[in-house]
């Protein structure tokens, strides 16, 4: 691979503060407000060799940088980066797997318990003085006890969630495109079959065309009236209007969501629903985990700029590491 000598890295849009600090110390960063090539002249664009990003990077944006070599995505999910196009132009894309797995799995369990046992509502009840004034918080109609969990997407995070649920005494089943040979959980060839078999569906697949609106009205009806949906992957995987209708009509019992189709705008209809438990995409959002993600973003750039292979290439770009 023929690489230039500059250490010029573009940051389009907002980025984690630790990424910014390290880039300022170790690279020559250029910050622009958003991923719009019109914000730079041709000469400046030609000087860019790397990008650090937490925003959408389209094919046309990639094309605007003739000497771009690497895009380091802040996040394990990289559906917002056109990685297939980047790979076709020999541009490396990296993401931040592993360092957030346990944090996201922990948060998923918290969201699940909050959804079933209404813990945020019970705390609000206490804080409002209603325990003293009105007596005990009403018993919750839902519980984790006796449920069977179906995990849609048994990758690193899905497996970490499954292991935690096992410790809770919960039976696990799963759906992935291909059956895993390293787990004993029952596998379902289709999402519909999984949703029919379980009463707790945990969605942790990556976003993108393959999973777009995969959880639709048919899947929700298969989950059934006692069914609970938990979603921590990408909002695009859930057909939100269908979910809202199913919750309004009590065709499923409840949903806990950390991700939404049009973030940061969670639909008002969901906010208004008593059987929806909503978080603002915080699954990996602790200082320590976000710092680890930040370090991995910059370490990937550092490795590449030093002539070493990228540390965590996305699957589309693995071949670009060969010979480095
Ligand atoms: C990820 O890493 O993809 C999480 O959604 C956090 O942004």
């Amino acid at each position: 691979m023929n690489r230039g000598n500059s250490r010029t890295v573009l940051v389009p849009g907002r980025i984690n503060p630790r990424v910014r600090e390290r880039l300022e110390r170790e690279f020559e960063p250029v910050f622009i407000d958003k991923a719009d090539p019109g914000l730079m002249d041709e000469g400046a664009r030609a000087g860019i060799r790397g990008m650090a990003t937490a925003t959408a990077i389209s094919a046309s944006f990639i094309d605007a940088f003739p000497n771009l070599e690497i895009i380091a995505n802040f996040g394990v999910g990289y559906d917002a980066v056109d990685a297939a196009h980047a790979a076709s132009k020999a541009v490396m894309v990296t993401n931040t797997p592993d360092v957030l797995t346990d944090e996201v799995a922990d948060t998923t369990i918290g969201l699940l318990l909050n959804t079933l046992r209404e813990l945020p509502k019970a705390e609000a009840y206490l804080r409002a003085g209603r325990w003293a004034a009105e007596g005990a918080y009403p018993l919750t109609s839902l519980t984790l006890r006796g449920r069977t969990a179906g995990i849609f997407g048994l990758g690193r995070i899905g497996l970490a969630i499954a292991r935690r649920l096992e410790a809770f005494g919960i039976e696990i089943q799963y759906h992935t495109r291909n059956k895993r040979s390293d787990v004993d959980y029952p596998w379902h060839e289709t999402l519909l079959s999984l949703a029919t078999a379980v009463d707790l569906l945990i969605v942790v697949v990556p976003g993108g065309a393959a999973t777009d609106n995969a959880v639709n009205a048919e899947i929700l009806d298969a989950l059934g009236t006692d069914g609970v949906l938990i979603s921590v992957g990408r909002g695009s995987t859930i057909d939100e209007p269908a979910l809202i209708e199913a919750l309004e009509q009590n065709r499923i019992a409840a949903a806990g969501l950390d991700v939404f189709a049009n973030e940061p705008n969670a639909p008002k209809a969901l906010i208004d629903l008593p059987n929806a438990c909503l978080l603002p995409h915080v699954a990996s959002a602790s200082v320590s985990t976000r710092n680890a993600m930040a370090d991995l973003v910059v370490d990937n750039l550092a490795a590449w700029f030093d002539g070493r292979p990228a540390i965590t290439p996305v699957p589309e770009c693995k071949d670009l590491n060969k010979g480095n």
Side-chain angles (χ1 to χ4, degrees):
M1 167 86 39
N2 193 6
R3 297 178 188 172
N5 293 320
S6 83
R7 291 178 74 81
T8 310
V9 171
L10 180 69
V11 182
R14 296 170 73 142
I15 199 76
N16 171 280
R18 183 159 171 140
V19 174
R20 175 181 274 267
E21 280 161 29
R22 279 197 57 190
L23 289 179
E24 281 168 346
R25 262 200 322 268
E26 301 169 37
F27 291 83
E28 296 153 29
V30 175
F31 298 96
I32 57 175
D33 284 347
K34 55 183 178 178
D36 175 356
L39 295 175
M40 298 173 76
D41 65 33
E42 207 178 322
R45 280 190 266 119
I48 298 299
R49 290 180 59 209
M51 277 183 205
T53 180
T55 195
I57 302 295
S58 65
S60 61
F61 193 65
I62 293 169
D63 290 345
F65 297 89
N67 298 311
L68 182 63
E69 297 172 26
I70 177 167
I71 302 169
N73 181 63
F74 183 86
V76 67
Y78 59 95
D79 47 301
V81 176
D82 194 332
H85 184 72
S88 77
K89 307 220 37 183
V91 173
M92 169 60 75
V93 178
T94 64
N95 65 343
T96 62
D98 300 319
V99 293
L100 47 54
T101 299
D102 286 326
E103 195 79 75
V104 173
D106 292 348
T107 311
T108 305
I109 299 297
L111 175 60
L112 170 60
L113 290 174
N114 284 351
T115 305
L116 292 165
R117 300 299 326 287
E118 303 178 13
L119 302 180
K121 285 188 199 163
E123 182 173 355
Y125 185 87
L126 177 153
R127 287 180 183 278
R130 294 182 62 188
W131 187 16
E134 298 172 37
Y137 184 77
L139 306 184
T140 62
S141 58
L142 301 176
T143 175
L144 182 59
R145 296 300 93 214
R147 285 190 182 269
T148 302
I151 307 210
F152 176 25
L154 200 71
R156 282 174 274 235
I157 296 172
L159 194 58
I161 295 167
R163 297 297 187 217
R164 281 159 176 72
L165 286 175
E166 270 192 80
F168 280 77
I170 300 301
E171 190 201 320
I172 314 289
Q173 306 189 15
Y174 74 105
H175 164 64
T176 47
R177 252 176 315 187
N178 301 309
K179 188 176 190 305
R180 287 185 68 139
S181 55
D182 55 347
V183 296
D184 292 332
Y185 308 134
W187 173 70
H188 292 259
E189 197 170 348
T190 65
L191 176 58
L192 184 60
S193 164
L194 178 70
T196 306
V198 303
D199 54 9
L200 167 59
L201 183 62
I202 300 180
V203 180
V204 65
V205 280
T211 57
D212 219 15
N213 283 330
V215 179
N216 54 24
E218 187 187 24
I219 301 298
L220 295 169
D221 283 331
L223 193 56
T225 52
D226 190 39
V228 171
L229 172 77
I230 301 293
S231 173
V232 294
R234 283 290 179 267
S236 57
T237 304
I238 312 292
D239 179 344
E240 269 178 6
L243 174 63
I244 290 164
E245 211 172 271
L247 287 167
E248 279 170 351
Q249 297 170 354
N250 296 310
R251 290 180 7 248
I252 66 165
L257 312 172
D258 183 47
V259 288
F260 301 88
N262 181 28
E263 296 179 3
N265 304 300
K268 168 102 172 47
L270 273 178
I271 293 171
D272 288 345
L273 277 166
N275 50 355
C277 183
L278 311 176
L279 294 177
H281 201 150
V282 294
S284 67
S286 68
V287 171
S288 55
T289 293
R290 287 287 168 89
N291 281 349
M293 293 163 64
D295 282 339
L296 191 48
V297 167
V298 183
D299 290 347
N300 267 299
L301 291 167
W304 190 262
F305 277 50
D306 292 348
R308 289 178 279 122
I311 302 165
T312 47
V314 303
E316 292 88 332
C317 296
K318 282 220 157 79
D319 284 350
L320 298 176
N321 253 345
K322 285 190 184 140
N324 292 338

